Each structure stands twice: as structure tokens, then as C-alpha cells.
Amino acid sequence: MANDTYTAAVERSKKLEEDLKLNPKKHRVLTGDRPTGRLHIGHYFGSLQNRVKLSKMGVPTCILIADYQVLTDHDAFDKISQNTKQLVIDYIAAGIEPSDNVIIYPHSYIPEANQLLIPFLTLISNAELSRNPTVKEEIQSAGIKNVNAGMYTYPVHQACDILFCKGDVVPAGKDQLPHIELTRLIARRFNEKFCPKNPIFPETSVLLSKTPHILGLDGNQKMSKSRNNAIFLSNTEDETAKLIKKAKTDAERNITYDPENRPEVANLLDLISLCTHEDQRVIAQHIGEGGGGLLKKTLTEAINEELRPLRKKRAELEKDPEYIRKVLFDGTEKARAMAIQTLDEVRTAMNMKI
Ligand code: TRP
């Protein structure tokens, strides 16, 4: 991505952050996850805590589960429903409180939002779709040989996810910037072409997350389910201890905070710091000659303590599948009401009302 585009995105994100504090009700947050598995502590520190904070500030929040999007790069679809419900459990256990203002739903359940895809596709060229850097990266890293059309068009579908409810804030990392730029482009082109006097769609911005890249327990790549280097919110305390025992450190006994030269040890110290809010250097000093063993013990205790209330809530929610379905159906109903309204405005703008 061009540097000036990135700088502009950072600027927009900063301004947005200020205004969210002053006028939370003026905005709408839209976030989503693909239901490919349970959430891990990378999600927890990277995005979940932020979503909880925004929703508690009173910003209307839509959390969508991108079940259609899973089909673009995953052959397996046997667990989509199960994964969807596990995501809801993770969200609520982490502190999301479903209400009139905070809703959770699968995007496949909102036909009127999906219908926006047809006019939106006509506003974007093939060339624009095929140069999306995030899509290119995903195709490459997943080693997909036969790329389906859904893979190239899912960012347009994502624009439908965001614009059907006129979402103007998407809290996300850098990788989502090309998608949100596309959403803005579609909104602008739609407004200019069909309703210049009465624009329907807002300008959406990314609220860039501040948390550093959380590495997996192998210490050299991003924490992720597919890389087998994650601690899941749903892991037990014993499982957490076992996973951390296997975490990579280095040969030097004395623990110091040196992200440059000791990335694995630094990552474990970062994780402790995220739980205890102590400075990494101070934590390192305490551990010192206690070495990797004490480092891992400290981390295990910190994570287990941080997640204890969440895991307790999680276990209760697991026992109440009817409640989880109710949350999804309530969310779906509210999302559909917004989608029906927006589709009606869109039909009017396109002169298609009969
Ligand atoms: N593309 C996002 C991901 O891969 C998921 C997603 C779908 C999303 N629709 C969205 C994120 C709308 C934010 C807003 O994680």
C-alpha cells in the first residue's frame, strides 16, 4: 500500500477515536470474524477487548459472523454452524452484552444485505478487484491454485456487510485497509451515480488497533489456529500450562527484554505485560536468573488469572445452547430491519421501485 494512503488512514483513525469518545451514538461499529474456529488470546488482546470497550462506550455495534466468506478459501464447511455458536460464546464470555444496540448475527441470514452485492459489483472493475493486496496475500499464503470468483469478490461482499447498516467504523488491523478503502469507493460511486443530492452511504474508516502483533508460542509468526501456536480462550488452565511449557525460548538463562535479539522471550514477556499491565523490563528483572522455567510459570499464572472469569462464563454459556441461538436470532431480526430499510432506499435511488 502506498505510504501516503497509510498515513491518511492513521490520521482518519486518530480523528475517529477522538470523536467516538465525544459522540459515541453518532457512529456505528461493524466488525466481523470468519467462523473458522474458536478465538485465541491473539484475538482477545488484539480485537475483542477493543470491541467490548467500544460497545460499553455506547457506540451501536454490529458483530457479524462471516459464514459465507468462509467458502471463499476453505473447502471444509462441516463445522460452520458449530464454529458460529462458539464465536458467540467467546464474544459474550469476553464481555459483549447483546442488546438493542449490540447485535451478533451470521451474514448469510440477512438476504437484503446480500442483495446489495449485485449493484455494488457493477461499481467496481475486474482490475480493481484483482489488485487487492490482502486478497493476493491470502491466495498466496493459503497456496490456492484454482482461485474461485468469490475470493476476488468477497471484499465487495464485505462492503455490503458494512454499508447495509451504514457502518462508519471498522476496528481492524492494517490488513483490512484495502477492503475498507474499497468500501469507501463503492459508497462514493454509489452516492455520486444514484443519489448525488441525497447520499445514502457514509464514508467508512478503519479504527486501527494499537495492540502489537501478538506472536504465537513458536515466537516467529502471528498467533493463529492454522499454525498450531495459539492459546484458545476455551483451553483449560492445565491445557494452557502444557501449551506454554512447549513455547520456544532461547539458550540464555538470564531473562531480559530484547525484542530485537530475543523475539521469543520478548513475546512471552509481552503477553505477561498484556495481562498484568506491568512494564516488560520490570517483569524481566523479577524473573532474571529464574530463567525460561520461571518465565513460563509466570506467564501461565498471568494468562490463567486473566481468563478465569471469562472461562467460567464460557462454561456456563456452553450449557445453554438455546440462549446462544436466541442471541443470533435476535441479532438477525434487528440486522434485517436495517437491511430492509437500506435496500428500500437503494431501490428508490436506482429507480427500481414498482
Ligand atoms: N474479512 C474479515 C476477515 O477475514 C471478516 C469480515 C467479513 C469483516 N465482513 C466484515 C470484518 C466486515 C469487518 C467488517 O477477518
Side-chain angles (χ1 to χ4, degrees):
M1 188 183 327
N3 245 341
D4 51 342
T5 326
Y6 182 60
T7 315
V10 173
E11 263 323 294
R12 243 194 326 274
S13 173
K14 275 193 200 143
K15 273 203 199 118
L16 194 55
E17 198 167 344
E18 285 313 305
D19 202 58
L20 281 164
K21 284 184 212 144
L22 299 175
N23 303 302
K25 298 253 175 321
K26 225 180 70 187
H27 299 276
R28 175 173 296 280
V29 163
L30 192 295
T31 69
D33 295 298
R34 300 178 194 206
T36 52
R38 301 170 184 211
L39 298 181
H40 52 66
I41 59 168
H43 299 117
Y44 175 75
F45 292 118
S47 65
L48 218 42
Q49 282 189 333
N50 197 28
R51 290 181 192 174
V52 172
K53 191 177 104 196
L54 287 164
S55 66
K56 295 226 153 102
M57 275 161 63
V59 188
T61 300
C62 297
I63 304 181
L64 79 86
I65 299 177
D67 50 357
Y68 269 150
Q69 218 177 83
V70 173
L71 304 176
T72 61
D73 67 345
H74 279 68
D75 283 333
F77 54 88
D78 52 332
K79 293 213 173 83
I80 293 183
S81 169
Q82 192 184 324
N83 288 341
T84 296
K85 290 167 192 164
Q86 286 296 328
L87 277 181
V88 179
I89 292 177
D90 281 334
Y91 296 148
I92 301 176
I96 296 286
E97 293 176 34
S99 68
D100 281 351
N101 251 334
V102 180
I103 61 175
I104 310 173
Y105 53 91
H107 66 177
S108 72
Y109 268 72
I110 322 294
E112 295 80 5
N114 292 317
Q115 207 170 317
L116 297 175
L117 185 61
I118 298 168
F120 283 4
L121 279 171
T122 67
L123 298 169
I124 292 295
S125 69
N126 268 344
E128 282 166 324
L129 292 181
S130 49
R131 61 170 176 254
N132 183 309
T134 299
V135 170
K136 283 205 267 191
E137 208 278 320
E138 281 167 344
I139 292 170
Q140 210 176 30
S141 68
I144 308 172
K145 299 261 155 16
N146 260 323
V147 187
N148 62 64
M151 188 72 202
Y152 285 112
T153 50
Y154 90 73
V156 183
H157 190 229
Q158 187 160 336
C160 305
D161 287 340
I162 297 168
L163 294 175
F164 91 87
C165 63
K166 308 192 178 175
D168 68 328
V169 183
V170 177
K174 231 171 137 174
D175 63 314
Q176 295 294 307
L177 284 173
H179 297 349
I180 307 311
E181 220 163 283
L182 186 79
T183 297
R184 255 203 316 278
L185 200 60
I186 290 173
R188 204 177 303 140
R189 287 182 186 165
F190 188 98
N191 289 340
E192 276 167 12
K193 180 167 178 181
F194 296 111
C195 47
K197 294 208 187 82
N198 241 334
I200 295 178
F201 295 116
E203 292 239 331
T204 307
S205 307
V206 172
L207 186 67
L208 285 163
S209 51
K210 278 196 223 74
T211 355
H213 235 38
I214 292 165
L215 300 177
L217 294 174
D218 49 8
N220 56 20
Q221 38 185 356
K222 201 171 145 182
M223 185 174 284
S224 110
K225 178 184 169 240
S226 57
R227 298 186 184 114
N228 260 331
N229 62 5
I231 301 172
F232 290 90
L233 302 181
S234 56
N235 282 137
T236 63
E237 299 202 359
D238 282 348
E239 285 166 351
T240 304
K242 280 200 192 110
L243 285 165
I244 294 175
K245 254 199 195 109
K246 281 192 278 180
K248 203 161 162 237
T249 51
D250 56 32
E252 210 175 310
R253 178 157 186 96
N254 189 31
I255 296 300
T256 53
Y257 186 63
D258 183 355
E260 213 30 39
N261 300 307
R262 307 183 71 186
E264 297 96 351
V265 167
N267 185 49
L268 301 187
L269 289 164
D270 285 339
L271 287 173
I272 299 173
S273 169
L274 283 166
C275 297
T276 65
H277 308 291
E278 272 177 301
D279 185 79
Q280 290 91 327
R281 281 173 193 81
V282 177
I283 305 167
Q285 248 164 26
H286 281 317
I287 298 173
E289 288 296 326
L294 186 56
L295 173 64
K296 290 180 180 180
K297 185 163 171 276
T298 310
L299 176 59
T300 303
E301 275 163 19
I303 296 266
N304 282 341
E305 188 168 317
E306 169 77 18
L307 296 183
R308 200 163 292 135
L310 183 157
R311 284 170 168 166
K312 187 163 168 269
K313 180 105 202 252
R314 226 192 164 282
E316 285 161 19
L317 291 164
E318 287 260 21
K319 284 191 225 132
D320 198 353
E322 269 319 298
Y323 171 68
I324 302 304
R325 291 186 73 221
K326 185 179 174 318
V327 167
L328 285 166
F329 281 125
D330 283 353
T332 296
E333 196 181 311
K334 292 186 181 111
R336 269 196 85 183
M338 289 190 275
I340 289 169
Q341 160 78 30
T342 303
L343 183 60
D344 191 64
E345 290 172 40
V346 163
R347 280 203 174 109
T348 304
M350 298 188 307
N351 295 312
M352 289 185 187
K353 288 275 273 197
I354 50 170

